Amino acid sequence: QANLVESGGGLVQPGGSLRLSCAGSGFIFTMYHGGWWRQVPGKPREFVASQTTDGATNYADSVKDRFTISRDTAKNTLYLQMNNLKPEDTAVYYCNLKYQPNPADYDYWGQGTQVTVSS
C-alpha cells in the first residue's frame, strides 16, 4: 500500500520560513518525479515546484527565488524549503509523485498541509 504523508505546515509571520516534508512508503522513490502544488479558495490548484528523476528542478515565477525543492532518496522524503514567506503564499500545499515510466496512470498525492502567513 503506497501513501504520502505531509508535515511541516503552520502559522508564520511575513518574512519567516518553513520546511514542508512529504514522506513516502511503498514507493521505489527514484522512479518518481516529485512536485509541490498549492490551492486557495476560488482558484485552481497551482503549480509551485517540481523535480524530475534526474534531479532537474522547475519553479513557478512567484516562488523561484524563495523556495527550494529537494529530496532524500534514502529516507523516501520530498522537501519544500520556503523562505521569505509572503501573505499570498497562504494555501493548502500538496506533494505529488508521478511514476516516470507511466505518469498519466500512476499519480499520487499527499493529504495536504495548511500554510498561513499572517501578522
Side-chain angles (χ1 to χ4, degrees):
Q1 183 69 42
N3 70 292
L4 298 171
V5 178
E6 298 183 37
S7 61
L11 174 64
V12 297
Q13 295 188 349
S17 297
L18 286 173
R19 187 175 74 162
L20 305 184
S21 297
C22 177
S25 62
F27 296 94
I28 301 175
F29 207 72
T30 56
M31 295 296 294
Y32 290 83
H33 305 305
W36 291 92
W37 298 66
R38 64 190 183 187
Q39 190 165 31
V40 299
K43 296 184 68 177
R45 191 167 294 186
E46 177 188 32
F47 170 76
V48 175
S50 65
Q51 185 183 52
T52 64
T53 54
D54 66 1
T57 57
N58 192 32
Y59 298 91
D61 288 343
S62 59
V63 308
K64 184 176 181 179
D65 295 324
R66 300 183 295 118
F67 291 10
T68 303
I69 187 172
S70 63
R71 69 175 70 189
D72 186 335
T73 57
K75 297 180 179 179
N76 273 5
T77 301
L78 188 72
Y79 300 101
L80 184 68
Q81 178 67 47
M82 304 184 294
N83 297 326
N84 192 23
L85 283 160
K86 303 176 179 180
E88 52 263 44
D89 296 317
T90 296
V92 177
Y93 284 72
Y94 298 90
C95 64
N96 171 249
L97 293 183
K98 292 183 171 66
Y99 187 49
Q100 186 269 335
N102 191 359
D105 290 337
Y106 298 94
D107 186 14
Y108 303 92
W109 293 89
Q111 83 281 7
T113 185
Q114 177 71 46
V115 172
T116 302
V117 185
S118 176
S119 299

